[in-house]
Amino acid sequence: MAMDMSWFDELESRIPHGEVRTRFAPSPTGYMHVGNLRTALYTYLIARHAGGKFLLRIEDTDQGRLVGDAVDVIYATTRQCGLDWDEGPDVGGPVGPYIQTERRHLYKKYAELLVEKGLAYYCFCEKTESAEDSGNFEKAEDPCRSLAPERLKELMFDAEMGRRPHPVIRQRIPQGNTTFHDAVYGDITVDNADLDDQILIKSDGLPTYNFANVIDDHLMGITHVVRGAEYLSSAPKYNLLYEAFGWEIPTYVHCSSVMFNDPATGVVRKMSKRCGDPSYQDLVAQGYLSQAVVNYVSLLGWAPHGDIAEQEFFTMDELIRAFEIEGISKSPSAFDMDKLNYFNAAYLRALPPEEFAREAEPWIRRAVKNEAYDAAAIAALLQARCEKLSDIPEKVDFFDALPEYGVDLFTNKKSKTNSEVSLEMLQQVCPVLEALPDWSQDAIHGALVGLAEKLSVKNATLMWPVRIAAAGKAVTPGGAVEICRILGRDETLRRLKLGLEKLGG
Ligand code: GLU
């Protein structure tokens, strides 16, 4: 049966040339884990660094593994991380559609082309067809590899008549060796005897991921295929497919695994959602800023060089300028929560105060329900004092309800306070604050400092008991003055008087 080559020519004619084109090709099987995010980021940076195009392609041919809202999560996450795509399912582009199931009519024709060339074959053996497990059959023993034309015709006829399932199409792996080049791992040679005759087209006519990715990367003009190192072992088979079609082989960029430095056990292991390691969404839900996560993730397995070799903090534009494939490491990298905390704290501190207040407010309101307490004022106390937004509720819970606390908190060596001193300080402070005409930061500060001077004590000797009585906690964001200001005069005095009672006053 002769193929209509004009159909192929039309598709070929749509392929853009002369620019770097990369794609992020997630399978909508769940949340975006950190390794995925890093792959997406590097893919994006390679395209942007070269002034090329970044594509989004949804790989959904493995229908059994799809998860309901996973596509929406992919869109949202990729956008939230600042990885804007030039072509994709929602924005279209010259080589669409960009969702594999919408391209289902393409793949079989390409597989049939390979069958014609003798580089693939119909296989009627009833064995597992799952994409991951296509090769538990010794290919030398597979009778379908060398079916006589007459027998093939008979079997095909039977399948058409519904007397047996439709055949799959398998890649015919030739004898010899396959060598391919990876931009990170260098030249890799494998013995073809170790490669299985993988399924290209399943019995239902849909392609396996292993076939679809090659067809799509070619038809979409992808110049750099960036993916996780778990695909390294499949790369020779993909390479053989490119060769079988006579297509230009893209630059492969395999990214090493992301390991997880488990803070609970101290064990370093492959990062995995199944072990409960955080996904990107989990991190955002825990109060990490997207930019901080992206910045930290960029350095998991990539390093800048030259005069910026020591630089840690990068905006997206700086990453685009600095990112070179040569900087990608083949050693696995370890995701470390402490390091992420360090990045996040720095990003939180660098936010304009209004923006920090906007980010912090929902977290403050988890603990501070009393609207009379100004969230922006509380946020100002927190900006320099939290590593992640989820630290906030526990730090500000004392505003709504004064915790139970013991008198021992009034004793502090550095501030030269003990119960007696604290009692005296609070006795002095209450009438001064009661009489204060104006409940502003400056007024409260001026009054307390003035009183300390009058009493000839260190400021800390007076501030310590005020803060303990106002907050009921040894560690608080902000000092006595700020806390009293936010609590307001009445509540401050109520709490100071409770403190006095505790001290026997
Ligand atoms: N759909 C594959 C995945 O999500 C993509 C691998 C690739 O980039 O080719 O793992």
Side-chain angles (χ1 to χ4, degrees):
M1 172 188 50
M3 294 269 175
D4 172 9
M5 294 314 288
S6 61
W7 183 87
F8 294 99
D9 291 344
E10 195 278 320
L11 284 169
E12 291 285 325
S13 72
R14 287 164 55 186
I15 302 174
H17 294 282
E19 63 185 9
V20 165
R21 293 171 63 80
T22 68
R23 88 298 188 272
F24 177 46
S27 302
T29 53
Y31 290 101
M32 180 92 130
H33 47 83
V34 170
N36 268 158
L37 171 58
R38 190 195 52 175
T39 303
L41 176 63
Y42 288 5
T43 310
Y44 172 83
L45 293 173
I46 290 170
R48 290 284 174 265
H49 181 77
K53 298 269 163 45
F54 174 64
L55 284 67
L56 179 63
R57 180 173 80 220
I58 302 294
E59 303 209 317
D60 58 349
T61 56
D62 197 353
Q63 296 281 314
R65 293 176 58 218
L66 302 190
V67 172
D69 63 345
V71 172
D72 295 333
V73 172
I74 291 167
Y75 287 148
T77 310
T78 316
R79 244 183 227 122
Q80 217 178 339
C81 292
L83 312 180
D84 47 307
W85 51 96
D86 305 297
E87 298 172 27
D90 53 341
V91 293
V95 290
Y98 293 85
I99 298 183
Q100 278 183 336
T101 46
E102 292 176 14
R103 302 168 67 76
R104 61 174 84 218
H105 60 288
L106 296 178
Y107 307 108
K108 196 155 176 229
K109 289 207 169 86
Y110 278 94
E112 284 164 352
L113 198 60
L114 288 186
V115 173
E116 265 206 358
K117 292 178 178 217
L119 300 171
Y121 59 94
Y122 293 103
C123 178
F124 297 85
C125 305
E126 287 180 41
K127 49 199 171 197
T128 173
E129 283 187 12
S130 92
E132 294 89 48
D133 187 15
S134 58
N136 56 357
F137 199 96
E138 280 302 318
K139 58 180 176 265
E141 295 166 11
D142 189 334
C144 301
R145 242 188 162 227
S146 48
L147 283 178
E150 274 314 304
R151 179 68 185 135
L152 175 61
K153 249 193 204 153
E154 275 168 30
L155 289 168
M156 278 297 206
F157 184 71
D158 280 357
E160 269 152 39
M161 299 311 289
R163 290 199 285 263
R164 58 166 60 246
H166 284 287
V168 302
I169 299 180
R170 286 183 182 274
Q171 182 176 3
R172 187 190 298 279
I173 302 282
Q175 287 186 330
N177 290 325
T178 299
T179 299
F180 69 97
H181 181 77
D182 180 86
V184 177
Y185 289 81
D187 280 340
I188 296 182
T189 300
V190 297
D191 184 345
N192 291 356
D194 296 333
L195 307 176
D196 62 298
D197 278 1
Q198 64 178 349
I199 294 179
L200 306 180
I201 301 290
K202 296 181 274 188
S203 157
D204 61 5
L206 273 182
T208 54
Y209 158 75
N210 286 324
F211 189 52
N213 86 84
V214 171
I215 304 299
D216 288 344
D217 285 343
H218 171 69
L219 292 180
M220 294 183 173
I222 300 304
T223 56
H224 295 68
V225 171
V226 189
R227 51 165 74 108
E230 64 274 21
Y231 288 99
L232 259 183
S233 59
S234 302
K237 292 186 275 192
Y238 304 154
N239 214 67
L240 284 168
L241 286 172
Y242 283 102
E243 285 173 357
F245 284 113
W247 291 339
E248 195 177 326
I249 291 167
T251 301
Y252 299 113
V253 183
H254 284 92
C255 304
S256 62
S257 312
V258 178
M259 312 296 282
F260 189 63
N261 201 342
D262 191 338
T265 58
V267 172
V268 178
R269 53 173 169 72
K270 194 162 183 225
M271 195 159 187
S272 122
K273 182 82 186 139
R274 236 168 293 147
C275 297
D277 301 343
S279 67
Y280 167 81
Q281 283 79 10
D282 294 332
L283 293 173
V284 170
Q286 283 167 26
Y288 290 92
L289 297 181
S290 235
Q291 302 96 302
V293 176
V294 168
N295 190 156
Y296 175 54
V297 164
S298 75
L299 298 169
L300 285 176
W302 169 79
H305 74 279
D307 43 354
I308 52 163
E310 299 302 315
Q311 186 173 334
E312 284 184 310
F313 292 96
F314 288 89
T315 61
M316 190 59 96
D317 282 344
E318 288 170 332
L319 280 177
I320 290 171
R321 248 175 281 134
F323 197 85
E324 277 168 16
I325 296 175
E326 295 71 43
I328 301 177
S329 160
K330 58 180 165 196
S331 348
S333 47
F335 184 94
D336 185 309
M337 290 307 281
D338 289 340
K339 199 75 210 251
L340 177 62
N341 287 340
Y342 160 80
F343 273 89
N344 203 58
Y347 271 83
L348 287 174
R349 237 167 271 148
L351 286 178
E354 324 75 68
E355 211 173 301
F356 176 81
R358 229 184 356 263
E359 294 280 355
E361 180 156 0
W363 294 90
I364 293 171
R365 289 292 174 222
R366 284 190 193 191
V368 185
K369 309 274 184 218
N370 186 341
E371 297 281 337
Y373 300 146
D374 179 5
I378 297 176
L381 306 183
L382 292 162
Q383 186 159 9
R385 295 183 176 89
C386 52
E387 290 186 323
K388 50 188 187 299
L389 297 166
S390 56
D391 293 344
I392 290 178
E394 174 272 328
K395 287 186 190 295
V396 297
D397 53 3
F398 65 87
F399 279 106
D400 264 19
L402 182 68
E404 271 304 320
Y405 65 97
V407 274
D408 52 314
L409 283 193
F410 284 107
T411 301
N412 181 265
K413 219 167 171 189
K414 219 168 130 224
S415 308
K416 295 195 176 5
T417 58
N418 56 24
S419 300
E420 295 78 56
V421 174
S422 295
L423 176 64
E424 193 203 332
M425 293 299 123
L426 291 183
Q427 278 166 341
Q428 297 283 345
V429 164
C430 284
V432 171
L433 291 185
E434 249 159 22
L436 206 61
D438 165 27
W439 197 255
S440 67
Q441 183 97 357
D442 286 348
I444 301 167
H445 182 261
L448 294 182
V449 169
L451 180 60
E453 200 182 341
K454 194 175 126 204
L455 299 173
S456 303
V457 297
K458 286 181 19 163
N459 285 346
T461 307
L462 186 109
M463 299 291 186
W464 181 272
V466 174
R467 192 175 59 83
I468 294 301
K473 271 179 129 170
V475 180
T476 56
V481 176
E482 289 101 336
I483 292 171
C484 294
R485 218 271 292 156
I486 293 167
L487 285 174
R489 190 198 310 261
D490 293 348
E491 181 63 13
T492 298
L493 287 168
R494 189 184 74 82
R495 293 186 183 195
L496 297 194
K497 284 174 185 159
L498 279 172
L500 274 174
E501 270 171 35
K502 261 190 207 294
L503 291 162

